[in-house]
């Protein structure tokens, strides 16, 4: 299995998300899940150093998408001081943008992945 640098993935995630070091630590599980997922997708025989860098970025983009979705779910309903609930829809465009970023990053590493055509076909529709 190709060895990605978790530190590089974390640094890329920080850059994409703008999270503080504390927020990054709180979301380390999301980052590690994406790191392991992308690592398992890679074909050892076809990967070059450039591919590894793209894979690290793809892992960070996947973690960023998961982070944006988590924040969207957390911040969806807001209760006012009077007890009324209102919906915060500001995250919808951010989720769309994060999904596009994730899809394009995964597409960039597609040539060096193992049997993942089903994954990429599902993302198209």
């Amino acid at each position: 299995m190709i060895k990605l640098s978790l530190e590089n993935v974390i640094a890329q995630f920080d850059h994409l998300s703008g999270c503080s070091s504390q927020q990054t630590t709180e979301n380390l599980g999301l980052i590690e899940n994406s790191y392991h997922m992308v690592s398992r997708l890679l074909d050892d025989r076809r990967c070059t150093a450039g591919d590894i860098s793209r894979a690290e970025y793809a892992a960070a983009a996947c973690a960023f998408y998961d982070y944006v979705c988590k924040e969207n779910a957390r911040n969806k309903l807001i209760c006012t001081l009077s007890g009324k609930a209102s919906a915060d829809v500001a995250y919808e465009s951010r989720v769309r943008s994060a999904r596009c970023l994730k899809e394009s990053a995964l597409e960039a590493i597609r040539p060096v992945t193992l049997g993942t055509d089903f994954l990429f076909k599902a993302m198209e529709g």
Side-chain angles (χ1 to χ4, degrees):
M1 182 164 72
I2 296 288
K3 182 75 171 152
L4 303 180
S5 167
L6 181 59
E7 291 78 23
N8 289 347
V9 174
I10 291 170
Q12 300 258 6
F13 173 82
D14 285 344
H15 181 72
L16 291 171
S17 67
C19 284
S20 67
S21 59
Q22 179 182 349
Q23 289 172 308
T24 298
T25 301
E26 291 169 1
N27 289 288
L28 198 53
L30 294 176
I31 300 167
E32 289 173 339
N33 285 341
S34 295
Y35 164 82
H36 291 298
M37 187 257 318
V38 171
S39 293
R40 285 190 304 270
L41 293 177
L42 299 175
D43 184 346
D44 296 347
R45 295 167 294 163
R46 293 188 279 178
C47 277
T48 66
D51 296 323
I52 291 171
S53 294
R54 281 189 290 281
E56 290 169 347
Y57 181 77
C62 290
F64 176 64
Y65 173 74
D66 292 343
Y67 166 75
V68 169
C69 289
K70 183 183 100 173
E71 289 299 303
N72 182 38
R74 177 186 303 169
N75 298 323
K76 196 65 168 174
L77 292 178
I78 299 170
C79 292
T80 64
L81 290 176
S82 63
K84 294 182 180 178
S86 67
D88 177 14
V89 294
Y91 274 90
E92 289 180 16
S93 66
R94 195 170 180 203
V95 170
R96 263 193 314 277
S97 296
R99 181 177 45 242
C100 288
L101 179 68
K102 173 184 173 179
E103 290 171 358
S104 67
L106 287 173
E107 186 62 34
I109 64 168
R110 182 180 182 181
V112 294
T113 56
L114 297 166
T116 55
D117 284 344
F118 72 92
L119 173 67
F120 296 103
K121 286 178 184 173
M123 292 173 65
E124 292 173 359

